[in-house]
Every structure is written in C-alpha cells, then in structure tokens.
Amino acid sequence: MMKQAVYFSFLFLSFFCHCKGATLLAHSPAQPPSKQVAAAPTKAKALTPTKAPTSLPVPAVEPPSQVPLVQAPPHKALHTPTDVTKILDKVGIFSVFIRLLKSTSVSIQIENQLNVSNTLTIFAPTNGAFGALKPGTLNTLSNEDKVQLVQYHILPSLVSLQNFETLSNPVRTQASNTNDFPLNVTVEGSSVNISTGIVNATISGTVYEDNQLAIYKVDKVLLPLGIFGPKPKTKQHLAPSPTPLKPSKDTNVSLPSSSTEESISSDVDEGDKSSKSKADVLMNNGVVNIGVVMIVVITMWGHF
C-alpha cells in the first residue's frame, strides 16, 4: 500500500508540473527568429529613394562635325535611288525646302539623275534660314524663278568637305549659267563659306553622304543675282516731242506789218491775173487758127 501511495503521488506531481509548464509557455511572448530580424534592414535600404540627378552643363559650340545626321545604308541597291525628301524629312528641320523640291518637281529630276549613276551635292537651307527672309519673298517669285532658285542649291558633282578647297570659282550649279547665277566657295580653316553676291552662307553640318550624293546644311538661303539682283534699267529711244517756242523778253521779234501783208496779197492777185490773161491768149489763138483753116478750105473748093 505504501508503494502504491508513493507511485500515485509521483504521477500527480508529474502531471501538475507538465500543466504548469504548458501554461507558462502559452503566456510567454514569442521571440522573432534571428533571420527575419537580419533581413529587415536590407529591405528598408532597398526602399530608400535615389537622389535626383543634377543638371548637366551646356556643352560649348563646336565646329560642324563630318558625321552625317542620317547614316547611309551599308549596301544600297542600284535600282532604288536615294530619296532626298525622305532623308531631309528624317532630320525634321527642312520642311520648307522639301516643299520647294516637290512643288517645282526638282525632286523628280534629282531622283532621275541619281538613277543613272550621276553624282550630286545639295546645299539644304534650314527652316530658320527661310524664316530670315523678308515676308512674301517666295510668293513674289514665278514658277520658273522657283525652279532656278532650287537648282542653284545643287552642284552637278559629288564634293566632300575636304574637296571644297579644290574647286575653282565661280562654281557651276544646276541653274541657268554662271554669269547670272555665280557661286563662290572659300575655305577658311575648318569652315566652308558660300557667297552669292547677295548673301554669305556657311556649311553648318553634314546631313547625308554616300558615294553618289552629299547633302550639307547651310544657315542661309542662297539668293542668286539672276533673280534677286538689281535689274538693269532699259533705255527707251523715243523721238523728242517738239517744244513750243516762247518769245523771250530780251529779244525783239519783228512781225509782218500791214503794208507787207497788202503787198503779198497784191502780188498774189497780179499772178492770178497774168495766168488768166495767158489762158485767154491761148484760147484766142486757137480760134484764129481754126478760122484761117476754114477760109483756106473754102477758097480751094471754089477753084474746083
């Protein structure tokens, strides 16, 4: 009996201690795992915003680069000539020049020339260059003048930036002739200057270049002398109109007197009278002659 009592007491104490430990564990706060605490700072650092970039300094103005704004295709097919208007449209600052190329049909001429393997050089004025002209300048030109103006911006050969100094002035363009449309090109260091006799322009960059076509950006519209130069005055050879003579106060002009007028009229009357007397004499002589002839005829008739 004694052993049983001790055994039950041990079981009771064991059960009591187990229940007490479970209660203490239930009421104690749970500790976060060490890995979760270590990962928290990493997430907070990733969510921190980055600083805004500071404004970049404005680069200084550099001389025109030889790198084209529109790159030529590596292998251009021979049956597809270069479309100049598409090249200029990609840059986005030549809309006025594109409109002139299309309205004058010079763009079609360029396409035909490039299609037969001709080489060309084009000076393309920017929209700002056209905006610097006097208002209405283009509207006052005839269709023929507009064609000549566009062709004045085209050279019938390919000229690279390095070869402009080898040209001889005046440079030949696709306009009418070099007398009415002269174009002079001078090279000073790395700048290429173009003079028309009215404006002085400068090549400010390369738009496009391949082995057949070169397009350069110019800062002014090339105005030729043949269109915008002073027109020569034409002299009209007309017969001068007679000016009436005005008697001066200092000179004495003698006018015919009344006696002179009477003498002139008397001379006229005498001339008329003499002419009438001569006519009467002739008539009388004619009558006398006829009478004599009649008498002779009668006398002869009496003898027979």
Side-chain angles (χ1 to χ4, degrees), residues 161-210:
L161 283 177
Q162 297 80 8
N163 292 335
F164 273 107
E165 58 184 359
T166 63
L167 297 178
S168 59
N169 293 321
V171 179
R172 180 169 167 259
T173 68
Q174 285 198 335
S176 294
N177 52 66
T178 56
N179 294 327
D180 297 333
F181 297 85
L183 187 73
N184 296 323
V185 178
T186 57
V187 179
E188 297 179 1
S190 60
S191 66
V192 180
N193 302 321
I194 305 171
S195 176
T196 69
I198 297 179
V199 297
N200 296 320
T202 304
I203 293 178
S204 56
T206 303
V207 179
Y208 180 88
E209 186 177 5
D210 58 16

Side-chain angles (χ1 to χ4, degrees), residues 74-124:
H75 300 287
K76 185 175 67 174
L78 296 177
H79 62 280
T80 56
T82 306
D83 194 333
V84 174
T85 57
K86 286 185 178 180
I87 293 173
L88 296 173
D89 189 51
K90 288 181 180 179
V91 182
I93 57 174
F94 300 104
S95 59
V96 180
F97 190 56
I98 292 173
R99 191 160 59 245
L100 277 175
L101 285 170
K102 292 182 178 180
S103 63
T104 57
S105 300
V106 177
S107 58
I108 300 176
Q109 298 177 8
I110 294 174
E111 184 177 350
N112 294 334
Q113 290 173 345
L114 295 177
N115 196 24
V116 293
S117 300
N118 287 345
T119 58
L120 297 175
T121 299
I122 300 176
F123 299 117

